[in-house]
Amino acid sequence: MPKIKYPTPLVEMQGDEMTRVLWDWIKEILIEPYVELNVDFYDLGLPAREKTADKVTLDAAEAIKKYGVGVKCATITPNAQRVEEYNLSKMWLSPNGTIRAALDGTVFRAPVLVDGIVPFIPSWKKPITIARHAYGDVYRNCEIKVDGDAVGELTVRYKDGRVETKRIAEFTGGGVLQGIHNTDASIESFARSCFNFALDTKQNLWFATKDTISKTYDRRFKDIFAQVFEKDYKDKFGKAGISYDYTLIDDSVARVVRSDGGFIWALKNYDGDVMSDMVATAYGSLAMMTSVLVSPDGKYEYEAAHGTVTRHYYRYRDGEETSTNSVATIFAWTGALRKRGELDNVKALCNFADKLEAATVKTIESGYMTKDLVGLFRKDGVTPVPLNSREFLLKIKENL
Ligand code: NAP
Ligand code: MG
C-alpha cells in the first residue's frame, strides 16, 4: 500500500516523560508505516524549553496559527521540584497556558467510549463534550483578607474620568473579599468557538450559568451568547439540524445526569474545571479523555487530557515494564490527522484516522488493554488481558 500523503504541514509538538516515549512508539508502530508525515516539528520537552528560554513554545503556537492544525504530547509544567530535577534557570510557564493564550482558544474535552467500560452513570451512552471557558473569573481574581471592622467596595475608574463605586459589604470583625472579571471580547471568542465546534461535530450545544443570582456578571455571558447566536449561527444551526439551549446551571446538572450524552456542555471557567473532572471520572478513566483547543478563527490543537504519567516514566527509566494507556494520545493524533485531511481535502487521511480509532476501540473491546482499564472492564465472555505499553500498540496494529 502506498503511504498516504497530504500537502500542508501538521504542527507536531513532542513532550515529556512517559508520554514522550509513547509518542515515538505510536508514530513508529501505528502511523509512519501508513502515512508519509509532513510535519513542522517542535520539541516542547522541558530540556528543549530550557535551552531555548521557552521560545520553542511561542514558535509552536505561531506555527499552529499558520498551518491551522497541531498535535501535542503532554508536557511538564515546572514547579519548584522540577526546577531542581531539570536544573532550570527559570520556572517556565505551562506550555498549554502559553498556547491557549496565543490562540485565544476554548478547550473541548470528550471521553473515548468502549463497550465493556460502563460509565458510573449507566444511561450515558454517547460522549459528553465539556467546553470550558479558559479566561478570567476566579482564576484571575484579586483577594483581600479583611482583619477588622471595615467597608469593602468595588470601584471602576474609566479612562474618561467617570467613576462608579458600589458597596460590597460592611465588615464587623473581619472576613474575606474577592474581585473577579471577564471581558466582552473573551466571552465572545468563547461563544464563537462553541458554536463553531457544535457545527463541526454536529452536536447540540448547551450553555449554563447562574444568571438568576449573578444578574449582571453571568447575565453578560448569557446575553453575548444569545446575540452571537442570533446574528451569525441561528441559520447554520437550523440547516445542520442542531440546537442551542441556555439553561440555569442547576437545571443543567440535573438534565446532564439524566441524559444519554451526545452533546456539548459549555461552561464558565470554574464550572468547567469542576464538571470536567466529574464527567471524566464518571466515564471511567482520565487516560481515555481527549482534548482539543479550538480558536475562534478555526485553528485546532489536539492532545490527551492527562499528564506525562511521571510515576510510570520513573519505572520505565529504571528498566521496568510499564503498562501505560496510550488511547488519548492515539486519539490526539487521529483527531489532528482527520482535521488535516478535512482541511486539505485528503479523504484517505480522514479514512485512516477513522480506521485507527476503530482498531483502538476494537482492541479493548476484544479484551486486550493496559492495566488501568482491567479493573473497569466488564463484558460477558471476555476476560481482560493486561498488556504492557508496547504490546498494546502492537495489538492495535494487528487489528488495524
Ligand atoms: P498524570 O500524568 O495525568 O498522572 C496521574 C496518575 O494518573 C498517574 O500516576 C497514573 O496513575 C494515572 N494516569 C494518567 N494517565 C495515565 C495513562 N495514560 N495510563 C495509565 N495511567 C495514567 O498527572 P500528574 O502525575 O499530576 O502530572 C505529571 C506531570 O504531567 C506533571 O509534571 C504535570 O505538570 C504534567 N501535566 C501535563 C498536562 C498536559 O501537558 N496537558 C496535563 C496534566 C499534567 P498510577 O500511577 O496510579 O498508575
Ligand atoms: Mg481541575
Side-chain angles (χ1 to χ4, degrees):
M1 179 188 128
K3 287 194 193 182
I4 300 162
K5 291 182 183 160
Y6 56 94
T8 316
L10 178 66
V11 181
E12 176 186 351
M13 291 158 280
Q14 175 57 299
D16 288 298
E17 301 194 311
M18 198 61 217
T19 41
R20 186 179 182 97
V21 176
L22 294 179
W23 191 265
D24 287 337
W25 288 351
I26 290 168
K27 281 170 65 185
E28 172 208 328
I29 297 168
L30 295 175
I31 298 173
E32 281 170 341
Y34 315 102
V35 178
E36 193 164 311
L37 281 179
N38 168 12
V39 296
D40 189 16
F41 179 87
Y42 297 85
D43 184 355
L44 300 194
L46 192 46
R49 279 181 273 150
E50 166 70 19
K51 209 166 137 193
T52 62
D54 209 24
K55 183 171 176 300
V56 67
T57 309
L58 297 170
D59 290 347
E62 285 308 312
I64 301 170
K65 283 191 197 166
K66 180 170 172 198
Y67 294 119
V69 187
V71 58
K72 180 183 166 291
C73 178
T75 46
I76 292 169
T77 299
N79 54 18
Q81 183 246 320
R82 298 296 199 166
V83 169
E84 204 169 304
E85 182 183 356
Y86 283 83
N87 196 15
L88 302 179
S89 57
K90 203 175 152 188
M91 201 183 288
W92 305 111
L93 295 174
S94 150
N96 292 52
T98 302
I99 295 168
R100 210 180 293 146
L103 294 182
D104 186 19
T106 298
V107 176
F108 296 84
R109 291 195 159 176
V112 176
L113 300 193
V114 299
D115 185 19
I117 297 176
V118 181
F120 287 97
I121 298 175
S123 60
W124 287 2
K125 305 280 184 230
K126 292 173 274 181
I128 294 169
T129 302
I130 298 248
R132 172 185 169 188
H133 187 208
Y135 177 81
D137 302 351
V138 74
Y139 302 85
R140 297 244 175 150
N141 65 2
C142 172
E143 301 182 311
I144 298 176
K145 183 173 175 299
V146 180
D147 63 4
D149 296 353
V151 170
E153 290 175 339
L154 194 62
T155 300
V156 177
R157 287 176 211 289
Y158 291 91
K159 289 267 154 69
D160 66 10
R162 282 175 299 144
V163 177
E164 188 177 350
T165 296
K166 283 188 177 177
R167 174 167 297 200
I168 299 174
E170 207 159 308
F171 293 93
T172 43
V176 282
L177 191 70
Q178 167 172 255
I180 60 172
H181 80 282
N182 225 299
T183 67
D184 286 356
S186 178
I187 299 167
E188 184 174 335
S189 289
F190 174 44
R192 288 190 186 280
S193 296
C194 290
F195 292 132
N196 287 338
F197 195 75
L199 285 169
D200 223 29
T201 59
K202 300 245 178 331
Q203 295 184 86
N204 294 336
L205 176 68
W206 299 8
F207 180 45
T209 73
K210 189 74 175 175
D211 68 296
T212 45
I213 299 297
S214 176
K215 289 185 166 66
T216 303
Y217 197 106
D218 280 16
R219 177 65 191 265
R220 191 75 194 131
F221 281 78
K222 179 186 177 179
D223 288 349
I224 289 177
F225 265 70
Q227 284 157 14
V228 171
F229 181 69
E230 205 55 43
K231 181 165 165 277
D232 290 334
Y233 292 94
K234 200 173 177 180
D235 294 345
K236 291 179 190 159
F237 269 53
K239 281 194 194 109
I242 58 173
S243 60
Y244 166 62
D245 281 299
Y246 175 85
T247 37
L248 208 54
I249 182 90
D250 338 28
D251 288 345
S252 180
V253 168
R255 282 175 54 183
V256 166
V257 169
R258 285 196 304 261
S259 77
D260 63 352
F263 55 89
I264 299 163
W265 193 16
L267 294 163
K268 286 175 60 200
N269 212 345
Y270 174 80
D271 298 334
D273 185 355
V274 176
M275 289 302 158
S276 61
D277 280 357
M278 190 275 282
V279 167
T281 308
Y283 274 112
S285 168
L286 193 59
M288 304 286 279
M289 207 60 173
T290 62
S291 181
V292 55
L293 175 72
V294 183
S295 76
D297 57 345
K299 315 288 184 210
Y300 295 77
E301 185 226 16
Y302 293 82
E303 64 169 332
H306 60 77
T308 58
V309 213
T310 309
R311 275 191 288 188
H312 293 216
Y313 177 63
Y314 290 160
R315 266 183 261 144
Y316 166 83
R317 212 180 44 185
D318 292 341
E320 287 174 43
E321 186 174 283
T322 62
S323 181
T324 314
N325 191 331
S326 46
V327 171
T329 307
I330 294 170
F331 274 67
W333 270 100
T334 52
L337 292 172
R338 184 185 296 107
K339 182 53 72 183
R340 189 72 279 164
E342 281 169 23
L343 296 177
D344 286 4
N345 206 6
V346 180
K347 293 222 169 57
L349 197 57
C350 302
N351 191 21
F352 172 76
D354 292 344
K355 287 193 168 152
L356 179 49
E357 288 183 359
T360 304
V361 168
K362 188 185 157 195
T363 301
I364 300 171
E365 289 179 344
S366 61
Y368 297 93
M369 62 198 76
T370 46
K371 279 188 185 149
D372 56 305
L373 298 183
V374 169
L376 303 170
F377 191 80
R378 309 246 179 299
K379 199 172 170 191
D380 283 344
V382 184
T383 310
V385 182
L387 300 178
N388 69 34
S389 306
R390 208 176 152 88
E391 284 167 349
F392 178 63
L393 296 172
L394 292 167
K395 196 74 193 172
I396 295 173
K397 185 183 171 87
E398 246 177 76
N399 287 322
L400 180 63

